[in-house]
Amino acid sequence: MISHQFALIRREIWEHRSLFITPAVVGLVMVLTLLTAFIFASGYQEIVDIGIVGAQSLAGDTERRAALLAVLAGNTAPFMIAGAILTVFYSLDSLYAERKNKSILFWRSLPITDAETVISKLLTTVLAIPLIAFVVIMVTHLLILAMTSMFVSIEGGSSMFLIWKSAPLFDVWAGMLIIMILLPVWFSPFIGWFLFVSGWTKRSPLLMAFLPLMLVPTLEYWVLRTHLIWDAIQGRFDQLPLFKGIDIETLFDDSEFIANADAVSLLAYVDVGKFFASPHMWAGLVVCGLFITAAIYVRRYRDDS
Amino acid sequence: MSSLVTARNVSKSFGNVRAVDNVSFDIEKGKIMGLFGPNGAGKTTLLKAVLGLTDCEGSLSVLGLDPFKQRKELMQNICFIADVAVLPRWIKVAQLLDFMESVHPNFSRPRAEDLLSRTKVRIDAKVGELSKGMVTQLHLSIITAIDAKLLVLDEPTLGLDIIFRKEFYSNLLNDYFDGERTILITTHQVEEIENLMTDIMFINDGRILLDSSMEALPDTFMELITSGENADKARQFGPIYERDVFGKKVMTFEGVDPENLEGLGEPHTPSVADLFVAKVKGAAA
């Protein structure tokens, strides 16, 4: 069962090469942009010098750490957006394309159950997409830091002191890994719905997936004058129970307006306990499970080949 | 003889249409069974039921398993080629072999590589880059490398030129068939597999019109080329089908003692294609 899953997920990555090409392109664009910025910046020698002197002498450890945390964490945003888009398109395509190109007949001639196949597609969205993006993020971070330290060294600064000692790499990585694994879990009702539509619809999965998300709440409001479904959909986007609120009291020391070193951390804001204690998270998993079961049922029982 | 496939009163309906209507038959080990029927006769539905791709009424047992409920176990010992187009176009040959190796317990990669080395299919090619004939060669090589008990072929050579078709069947016989394995095959090109089959089954409107071994055909069926008065005499023995060829009558008889027809024309054993037409048209008349 588990070795089957590895083979099946590997197959998904072979088929959907965009799953690794997209994050790689995002990372490459980021590295090239930074390179251009450095080349551009070297034309402004004085300002750069002042910046480096400032960073070395005036700023404290915590400020340097905070600045690098902002850079490293901020860099992950384009990857997250790319990952979200990939998840939508991949999950809508995965059970649709095999029927469209009739390869489903070949896949079903092998000793693999429909449940194993559908689950492999679910695991690709919730595990493979985030993990691939995560590895690319780590590589991008290392490249960005390496380039920055080269630039700093060329400009006469101490890269070891400025960059490598201050960069909260492992904090950002651990935090990102948790966030990237748990985000798809939180959004799993949508993923389940997309996979179901992908396995069920005879045409235009994108339209068939998004239209009901608008129409059903509208219908509910017309008929029942309630908006429960809309609230549930919207709630997925504004009630993610994964972060602690930023507390100004702990962020700054009372006396001096200097950031508290413990608070300059991504991990410090991730609240895994709150996530798993959230009934909304579990309710979402149940909804996802229902859609996945329906997707398995449709693949097994529908005979449209 | 052990029966690999046992069907008793198998039916399958789509709405009001009975695609397979109360069908019973057996396929024994080591046989090559040809299944023929006009388009829409229920062939593909019957094959799908055998492969566990669709559920059905009645009792159907394949290798002692319920094909629909135990599809995974069944697929370890059954292979099928449904149509030439089903291998995914995006996959590379090497990836396909990797994948087969990791999911199929009875797949032998060295055997597949050996079979492929005799074709023009390159290991690093993508399926989408191969010609239709090469895709079929690839598919057959993979299937042949699986140590399976039953091979189901549904129009395997559709759209291939004559050279690839001939090669397909010669490879099938030489590399796959060993007397232990069993083949169930459907095709419209009846002539090409006439000498290959050991058993034959005709199906029309979801019902079986004929289920016989090839050896038994000459004893049961006879075709008579006749004309004039002789034709009238022969007609009294109830030909199942009659057609005109160059001003002569060609009649097909089923289960009529050859002695009765002696002297009434030229007797011979009908070809499978002619027999097929006679049975289908005769049943419709």
Side-chain angles (χ1 to χ4, degrees), chain A residues 4 7-8 10-11 14-15 102-103 105-114 116 300-301 303 305, chain B residues 14 48 53 68-69 71-72 75-76 80 82 86-88 90 95-96 98-100 102-104 139:
Chain A
H4 270 195
L8 285 165
R10 191 176 53 166
R11 183 198 77 183
W14 285 338
E15 180 176 1
K102 296 214 163 192
S103 61
L105 277 178
F106 172 69
W107 302 120
R108 294 194 80 203
S109 77
L110 303 174
I112 304 164
T113 61
D114 296 298
E116 280 177 307
R300 182 162 157 72
Y301 284 86
D303 182 29
S305 47
Chain B
F14 296 104
K48 279 189 177 159
L53 294 176
F68 192 67
K69 290 189 180 131
R71 195 174 68 82
K72 185 177 176 181
M75 284 304 152
Q76 293 185 357
F80 80 89
V86 297
L87 287 182
W90 54 263
Q95 291 175 335
L96 195 54
D98 283 347
F99 184 73
M100 289 300 295
S102 47
V103 300
H104 209 305
H139 205 162

Side-chain angles (χ1 to χ4, degrees), chain A residues 3-286:
Chain A
S3 68
H4 270 195
Q5 281 304 331
F6 274 114
L8 285 165
I9 292 171
R10 191 176 53 166
R11 183 198 77 183
E12 294 303 315
I13 297 169
W14 285 338
E15 180 176 1
H16 300 268
R17 293 168 65 221
S18 58
L19 298 190
F20 59 87
I21 291 178
T22 309
V25 168
V26 170
L28 191 69
V29 168
M30 223 173 249
V31 167
L32 289 179
T33 309
L34 188 68
L35 193 66
T36 317
F38 284 147
I39 293 169
F40 186 70
S42 50
Y44 296 87
Q45 203 62 52
E46 280 182 24
I47 299 171
V48 172
D49 286 348
I50 290 169
I52 289 175
V53 168
Q56 281 190 180
S57 333
L58 301 178
D61 280 344
T62 311
E63 283 82 3
R64 278 195 290 273
R65 195 176 147 86
L68 284 164
L69 175 74
V71 169
L72 295 177
N75 268 333
T76 61
F79 290 97
M80 307 287 270
I81 294 166
I85 295 170
L86 276 178
T87 302
V88 173
F89 281 93
Y90 165 78
S91 54
L92 282 174
D93 187 61
S94 61
L95 289 162
Y96 180 71
E98 63 169 16
R99 292 183 295 131
K100 196 90 182 155
N101 64 27
K102 296 214 163 192
S103 61
I104 185 170
L105 277 178
F106 172 69
W107 302 120
R108 294 194 80 203
S109 77
L110 303 174
I112 304 164
T113 61
D114 296 298
E116 280 177 307
T117 304
V118 173
I119 287 169
S120 78
K121 298 189 191 252
L122 175 67
L123 290 179
T124 303
T125 56
V126 300
L127 282 180
I129 293 178
L131 288 179
I132 292 170
F134 178 69
V135 170
V136 179
I137 284 176
M138 289 200 295
V139 173
T140 308
H141 278 165
L142 289 176
L143 284 174
I144 284 175
L145 292 182
M147 282 163 55
T148 311
S149 59
M150 266 171 66
F151 179 76
V152 168
S153 303
I154 291 170
E155 299 295 337
S158 161
S159 62
M160 186 49 81
F161 177 68
L162 276 182
I163 308 295
W164 299 106
K165 271 191 169 167
S166 306
L169 262 189
F170 294 101
D171 171 73
V172 173
W173 286 351
M176 283 317 296
L177 186 61
I178 295 171
I179 293 169
M180 292 179 80
I181 293 292
L182 293 185
L183 267 185
V185 174
W186 174 247
F187 286 106
S188 66
F190 291 106
I191 295 171
W193 163 247
F194 291 153
L195 282 169
F196 167 71
V197 170
S198 165
W200 162 79
T201 185
K202 290 205 194 283
R203 60 186 69 85
S204 36
L206 193 66
L207 194 67
M208 294 308 278
F210 282 97
L211 215 55
L213 292 183
M214 323 260 173
L215 287 184
V216 173
T218 312
L219 210 65
E220 185 202 312
Y221 186 68
W222 271 354
V223 177
L224 303 171
R225 292 279 145 190
T226 55
H227 35 77
L228 297 171
I229 296 174
W230 182 248
D231 289 348
I233 292 174
Q234 207 191 13
R236 281 292 130 175
F237 290 93
D238 52 23
Q239 290 164 18
L240 174 64
L242 184 56
F243 298 106
K244 288 174 194 157
I246 292 179
D247 185 356
I248 300 296
E249 300 276 321
T250 55
L251 189 59
F252 292 106
D253 276 346
D254 291 343
S255 49
E256 305 159 49
F257 285 95
I258 294 172
N260 189 336
D262 293 339
V264 183
S265 153
L266 184 60
L267 264 184
Y269 292 100
V270 176
D271 192 342
V272 177
K274 181 168 142 194
F275 184 79
F276 284 102
S278 158
H280 293 294
M281 188 282 287
W282 294 105
L285 275 186
V286 170

Side-chain angles (χ1 to χ4, degrees), chain B residues 25 33-37 46 199-203 208 210-212:
Chain B
F25 62 92
M33 162 79 85
L35 175 65
F36 303 103
L46 191 58
D199 289 75
I200 187 166
M201 196 151 78
F202 289 168
I203 182 170
I208 291 177
L210 174 71
D211 180 6
S212 164

Side-chain angles (χ1 to χ4, degrees), chain B residues 32 34 36 166 169 185 187 189-200 202 214-215 217 269-276:
Chain B
I32 301 180
F36 303 103
K166 291 274 177 204
Y169 290 115
I185 181 167
T187 173
Q189 275 125 359
V190 185
E191 315 79 39
E192 286 175 13
I193 64 163
E194 186 156 359
N195 300 319
L196 195 123
M197 293 179 294
T198 62
D199 289 75
I200 187 166
F202 289 168
M214 288 295 283
E215 285 169 356
L217 283 185
T269 303
S271 71
V272 171
D274 288 337
L275 186 59
F276 177 66

Side-chain angles (χ1 to χ4, degrees), chain B residues 170-243:
Chain B
S170 94
N171 288 346
L172 186 66
L173 277 192
N174 294 332
D175 299 327
Y176 179 83
F177 194 66
D178 57 4
E180 283 289 300
R181 291 167 160 192
T182 309
I183 300 176
L184 174 59
I185 181 167
T186 76
T187 173
H188 280 101
Q189 275 125 359
V190 185
E191 315 79 39
E192 286 175 13
I193 64 163
E194 186 156 359
N195 300 319
L196 195 123
M197 293 179 294
T198 62
D199 289 75
I200 187 166
M201 196 151 78
F202 289 168
I203 182 170
N204 194 24
D205 291 334
R207 294 208 180 95
I208 291 177
L209 292 181
L210 174 71
D211 180 6
S212 164
S213 73
M214 288 295 283
E215 285 169 356
L217 283 185
D219 299 334
T220 319
F221 294 96
M222 193 167 103
E223 213 170 63
L224 192 72
I225 304 174
T226 179
S227 60
E229 265 183 40
N230 281 346
D232 293 334
K233 284 183 191 164
R235 204 170 281 126
Q236 291 169 5
F237 294 100
I240 56 170
Y241 183 62
E242 187 178 328
R243 66 197 152 103

